[in-house]
């Protein structure tokens, strides 16, 4: 399986809390829901994101993103019925976590031991696409461990000014990756 990361970022690299005001307030983040105006006014963007989810064979999440998605795409009837919800609820989900022990979202497997080996085994499957949505810490870890085959950045034409960024201000050069 090809491992693809799909990350929504602002022009200044923020990926935190794009879906709603209370989605992720860590660090005093007060600008949640910043991506919604684009989807309200641009159906082309929503169609594209729906297509991205449809091509997934399985999903891999970090614990925090998994809990956000399970509480929305896996629980709210309108979201479950949407194209994204249909994809998420009909395909296997994997969560890299040492703290999640009892996932309640159907068809979820927790990867808590040797995550690199577990992800390698998923990638060894002959066909399909394993997608990682959000999950910034996990994405950075996957990149550090050379497990990512493709990076998709959906860049929004706005500056958020605060919040967690996909890539830290300092770190290793991955240009030769």
């Amino acid at each position: 399986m090809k491992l693809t990361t799909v990350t929504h970022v602002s022009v200044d690299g923020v990926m935190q809390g794009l879906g709603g005001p209370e989605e992720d307030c860590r660090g005093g983040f007060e600008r949640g829901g910043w991506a919604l105006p684009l989807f309200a006014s641009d159906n082309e963007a929503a169609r594209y994101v729906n297509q991205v989810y449809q091509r997934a064979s399985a999903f891999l999440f970090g614990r925090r993103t998994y809990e956000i998605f399970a509480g929305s795409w896996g629980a709210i009837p309108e979201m479950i019925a949407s194209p994204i919800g249909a994809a998420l609820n009909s395909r296997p989900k994997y969560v890299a976590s040492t703290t999640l022990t009892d996932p309640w979202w159907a068809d979820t497997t927790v990867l808590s031991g040797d995550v690199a080996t577990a992800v390698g085994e998923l990638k060894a499957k002959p066909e399909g696409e394993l997608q990682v949505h959000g999950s910034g810490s996990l994405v950075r870890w996957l990149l550090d461990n050379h497990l990512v085959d493709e990076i998709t950045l959906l860049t929004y034409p706005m500056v958020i000014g605060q919040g967690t960024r996909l890539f830290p201000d300092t770190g290793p050069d991955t240009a030769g990756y």
Side-chain angles (χ1 to χ4, degrees), residues 24 30 64 78 112 168:
D24 183 355
E30 299 174 341
R64 186 174 290 115
E78 301 81 38
S112 60

Side-chain angles (χ1 to χ4, degrees), residues 76-120:
I76 300 170
E78 301 81 38
M79 294 179 82
I80 292 170
S82 74
I84 293 172
L88 287 165
N89 287 291
S90 65
R91 294 175 178 93
K93 292 162 285 297
Y94 300 91
V95 184
S97 176
T98 57
T99 59
L100 181 66
T101 57
D102 190 24
W104 58 267
W105 198 3
D107 204 9
T108 297
T109 301
V110 177
L111 309 176
S112 60
D114 183 350
V115 174
T117 298
V119 171

Side-chain angles (χ1 to χ4, degrees), residues 55-72:
R55 71 177 194 234
S57 301
F59 298 95
L60 173 63
F61 298 104
R63 183 196 48 82
R64 186 174 290 115
T65 301
Y66 171 81
E67 289 176 345
I68 290 169
F69 274 49
S72 55

